Amino acid sequence: METSFGDRLRALRRRAGLTLEALAEASGVSARAISDMERGRSRGPQDRTLVALFDGLGLGGAERADLAAAARAARAQNASGRPRSGEPPRGVSDFVGREAESKLIAQHADGAGTGRMAPVVLIHGQGGLGKTALALHAGEELRARFPDGRCYLDLRGMDPTPLAVGAALRRLLQALGADPGRIATSEDEQASQLRAILAERRVLLLLDNAADETQVRPLLPGTGTAMTIVTSRRTLAGLEGVLRIGLAPLADAEAAGLLRTIGGATSRSASDTEIGTVARLCGNLPLALRIAGTRFASRPGWTMRHLIDRLADEERRLANLTAGDTGVAAAFALSYAQLTGPTATLFRRLALIPGDDFTAPLAAVLVDTDHHHAEHLLDDLADLGLLQAVGDRYRLHDLIRLYAAECLRTDETRPERDAARRRMLDALIDTAITAGRWYEPGHGAPPGHWRGLDPLDTQDRARAWLRAELSNWVGALRAAARDGQHQQVVDIAESMHWYSDQSAKDGPWHEVYQRSRTAAAHLPDRRQEITHINYLAWVLIYLELRYADGVELAMQAHRMADEHGDAKGEAEALWLAGAGWARAGDHDRSLTAIRRAIDVADAAGIHDACVQYLVSLGTAYKLAGRTDEAVDQYRAAIQQAQVRPMSRTPRLVALSTGHNGLLRTLTQARRWPEALAEAPATLTAVQRSGSVLQLSTTHLLIGLTYAGLGMRDAARAALTRALELNGSMVQPDPETTEAAESALAALDVPDDNGPAPPTL
């Protein structure tokens, strides 16, 4: 009859004349562990423990080999026996993606058995991201590295009453083979027993769906050869020495791959565009993708277009992302149920925010509190995975936003919703107008008593707010238009007049001025309507290069201005029409219109506009190929900008555009020494104006000038700076990019004449 490992160990100990305590002292293995081995209550020991026993017993080569073989047989018998409590549930057979996360987990497993603390990995994130699926997948991938098995426990962290610590400890101890009769009664002693067992086994613990740190901490091993993977919707920030892996939605390619895998044969006829659209509507969320793919696969008569049409309806999207007892909304509801009153209220109302992301001050307005309290509430939401926090900004996943909107409709009254929405829109509109007015003549810094979403105490801060909150203040503009708040729409657009000139490539100016033109038509002041027609004409001519359309609109404004005796509107319309004709190649009409605009503005004493038109006349001469006249005109315009009584921002803009136009003309004419002499003044003027687009262009022109003079190192530095500045804009200017890159390439080719003139 074959002798078991426990019997052999007991026989060898007695032959050596050692008690349990004596062998424990000689080997360093606890007496309890040796007793469990001898009675067959624990698995065969791992190699490190076995070597310690060999040494403690003073065994030679043959006896060592014999006992080692018995230990391996014991482990194998245990592993191949009937299923034990704690076996992991069935994972998914079509696991896709998460390669980087899986690699991190595998690398962290290398720390098991190195003498340091046993490695612990926490996988956290919102519901539906596939945390459990990743944990089970990683456990399967690591199976060979943990021959003593894997032990799974659902901690029920999202239940109204999560699994108690004592119950969790007992289940783990029993799953690991501990004698139920010898399990301690206190939680501290149970935790000590668990650590003692795990110290000698290569076991992978999978602790799924953890509630908090208090629940998890007693379950973790100390030193030894075990490893633990924990999943939780919370970040469990109080746990130390843990590798945290925060899951995000799948990458586009991974999401598409998962959809095609689940969809099976029925998805083969779908185009990449259709698959990508479904993935986007699912927010690349694994749970949503699985449900969508399953629904598609189970309906052979459907095309991918059927699925797209159903998911496109935002009010029904969550309902369509339900299959059997599984649903995206149900997954989110578990987290929502964890929220306290104020946090739940804020979560619901975040669905009202129009933009892609937001900061604490905007969230504070929704619940009528200060931003410090709002930060605490937002941190609670982020900790539970209902928000994504990046720096000081927060973002809702698209599907969570839809769920929050559902909660808002069902859990709050219409007056409560409307009041919160009105406070938020008014705050956005007021702050946007105040920020834009930093650039407007006669405005600047807000008054000391003003309180908004940002202090806006400097122009740089105003610019930063307008850029960061672009999707929010434009969303507020759209909401005002939908609500028929025509004067608010006009006020927002009017406040952006000079800011839009300096941020031409960084804003949705067509939409802004199209909406303000429409809104102004509903108001009684026709001069206001003329102004906003001209603003839209500016967008068409200067930003969209739609010269004919822009000129037609400008001439419409001119006719209205003439009818209503609006000298300012008439001059601006003539200037815009002249600019459009100049760029379209109709130089005679262009020069006539711009000269007329100058005369009208000068006669009316509109100095800000008059100097701007003087600069434009220089541009019209340049486009007509009349270089000497263009140079003279730019210099005259710069001189007038220095002596006329102008507002600060228009003066800065006139000086920057005048100097930039002069430098451009000299560069294109290859008048390199004159261009080099003009460069410092241009750079100073453009830097003062704050226009990143013009600053990028100026560095491009300076780089071309250096290249023309054979100063290649200086040219490279200036051209590289031009590319950096251009790339920093929301919408980089492609012509600047092309010209700078071409000039840099040309520097490597000998050319006595310097690079070709820019085509900007």
Side-chain angles (χ1 to χ4, degrees), residues 22 27 232 236 261 343 349 368 411 431 485 564 613 631 654 741 745:
S27 65
S232 179
L236 306 187
T261 300
T343 314
R349 294 180 182 179
D368 201 14
D411 295 356
T431 306
Q485 300 292 324
H564 292 278
Y613 306 157
V631 169
E741 289 178 346

Side-chain angles (χ1 to χ4, degrees), residues 311-589:
L311 295 178
D313 182 357
E314 286 194 350
E315 293 188 0
R316 296 288 301 161
R317 188 177 303 164
L318 292 178
N320 281 304
L321 289 174
T322 302
D325 61 351
T326 303
V328 171
F332 297 156
L334 294 174
S335 295
Y336 182 56
Q338 304 286 313
L339 303 179
T340 60
T343 314
T345 300
L346 176 58
F347 171 71
R348 294 190 297 268
R349 294 180 182 179
L350 291 177
L352 296 170
I353 293 178
D356 300 325
D357 57 9
F358 55 91
T359 57
L362 184 58
V365 172
L366 289 169
V367 288
D368 201 14
T369 188
D370 63 83
H371 78 273
H372 296 295
H373 183 225
E375 282 179 349
H376 291 301
L377 301 180
L378 292 168
D379 287 343
D380 288 343
L381 292 173
D383 181 60
L384 196 52
L386 289 171
L387 273 184
Q388 301 163 30
V390 181
D392 64 345
R393 303 193 70 80
Y394 301 86
R395 177 188 293 268
L396 281 173
H397 185 277
D398 290 346
L399 296 181
I400 292 183
R401 180 188 292 271
L402 294 180
Y403 178 73
E406 283 190 1
C407 294
L408 185 64
R409 288 192 295 270
T410 58
D411 295 356
E412 296 198 29
T413 65
R414 182 64 176 268
E416 288 173 329
R417 300 196 303 266
D418 289 348
R421 176 178 179 270
R422 190 71 263 158
R423 283 197 307 272
M424 176 198 65
L425 293 177
D426 286 347
L428 281 170
I429 290 170
D430 186 33
T431 306
I433 291 173
T434 304
R437 283 179 175 168
W438 255 106
Y439 296 84
E440 291 293 298
H443 289 280
H449 61 80
W450 182 82
R451 294 293 180 270
L453 298 175
D454 188 277
L456 304 179
D457 47 1
T458 66
Q459 190 176 84
D460 286 344
R461 187 149 186 169
R463 182 190 299 112
W465 188 91
L466 288 169
R467 289 180 176 176
E469 301 295 339
L470 179 66
S471 61
N472 284 315
W473 68 258
V474 172
L477 173 75
R478 293 168 184 157
R482 288 194 301 270
D483 294 346
Q485 300 292 324
H486 303 306
Q487 192 59 57
Q488 273 194 332
V489 173
V490 169
D491 288 346
I492 295 172
E494 184 62 49
S495 73
M496 300 294 165
H497 176 213
W498 285 98
Y499 171 71
S500 65
D501 187 73
Q502 297 185 46
S503 306
K505 297 288 184 179
D506 287 348
W509 302 120
H510 187 113
E511 178 183 358
V512 169
Y513 292 122
Q514 179 64 65
R515 290 188 182 278
S516 68
R517 175 204 179 187
T518 302
H522 287 85
L523 298 171
D525 186 352
R526 295 280 67 80
R527 295 191 177 200
Q528 192 168 242
E529 181 182 4
I530 292 165
T531 294
H532 288 268
I533 292 174
N534 277 328
Y535 290 167
L536 182 57
W538 170 78
V539 171
L540 294 175
I541 293 167
Y542 278 92
L543 304 187
E544 299 181 4
L545 313 184
R546 293 165 54 186
Y547 306 130
D549 293 338
V551 168
E552 181 180 351
L553 202 58
M555 294 312 294
Q556 176 188 337
H558 178 263
R559 290 189 294 272
M560 290 180 64
D562 185 57
E563 178 183 348
H564 292 278
D566 180 6
K568 179 177 178 295
E570 179 186 3
E572 188 167 22
L574 287 167
W575 160 64
L576 286 164
W581 280 321
R583 284 156 178 76
D586 193 344
H587 301 299
D588 289 341
R589 293 177 76 180

Side-chain angles (χ1 to χ4, degrees), residues 592-605:
T592 299
I594 295 174
R595 290 183 185 123
R596 177 60 182 153
I598 292 169
D599 291 342
V600 172
D602 200 22

Side-chain angles (χ1 to χ4, degrees), residues 565-726:
D566 180 6
K568 179 177 178 295
E570 179 186 3
E572 188 167 22
L574 287 167
W575 160 64
L576 286 164
W581 280 321
R583 284 156 178 76
D586 193 344
H587 301 299
D588 289 341
R589 293 177 76 180
S590 166
L591 292 168
T592 299
I594 295 174
R595 290 183 185 123
R596 177 60 182 153
I598 292 169
D599 291 342
V600 172
D602 200 22
I606 310 172
H607 299 291
D608 291 349
C610 185
V611 173
Q612 182 182 8
Y613 306 157
L614 288 169
V615 173
S616 289
L617 185 58
T619 302
Y621 279 129
K622 177 174 68 68
L623 293 174
R626 296 160 64 170
T627 300
D628 290 341
E629 290 168 282
V631 169
D632 291 343
Q633 182 60 42
Y634 279 129
R635 286 176 171 154
I638 291 168
Q639 190 270 336
Q640 287 294 303
Q642 293 168 336
V643 300
R644 287 206 183 213
M646 299 176 67
S647 303
R648 179 180 182 275
T649 297
R651 188 191 307 279
L652 290 176
V653 171
L655 287 171
S656 66
T657 54
H659 277 290
N660 193 273
L662 176 57
L663 179 59
R664 185 193 301 255
T665 304
L666 293 170
T667 303
Q668 288 180 332
R670 293 169 167 254
R671 290 160 62 168
W672 307 125
E674 291 177 77
L676 185 62
E678 169 61 22
T682 301
L683 195 56
T684 298
V686 173
Q687 286 173 333
R688 286 175 178 169
S689 77
S691 171
V692 179
L693 175 61
Q694 278 200 352
L695 190 58
S696 172
T697 304
T698 299
H699 278 283
L700 167 63
L701 296 172
I702 292 172
L704 291 168
T705 299
Y706 282 137
L709 292 168
M711 303 166 66
R712 293 179 180 270
D713 290 342
R716 284 192 184 91
L719 294 169
T720 300
R721 183 58 179 153
L723 287 172
E724 291 173 350
L725 289 165
N726 192 46

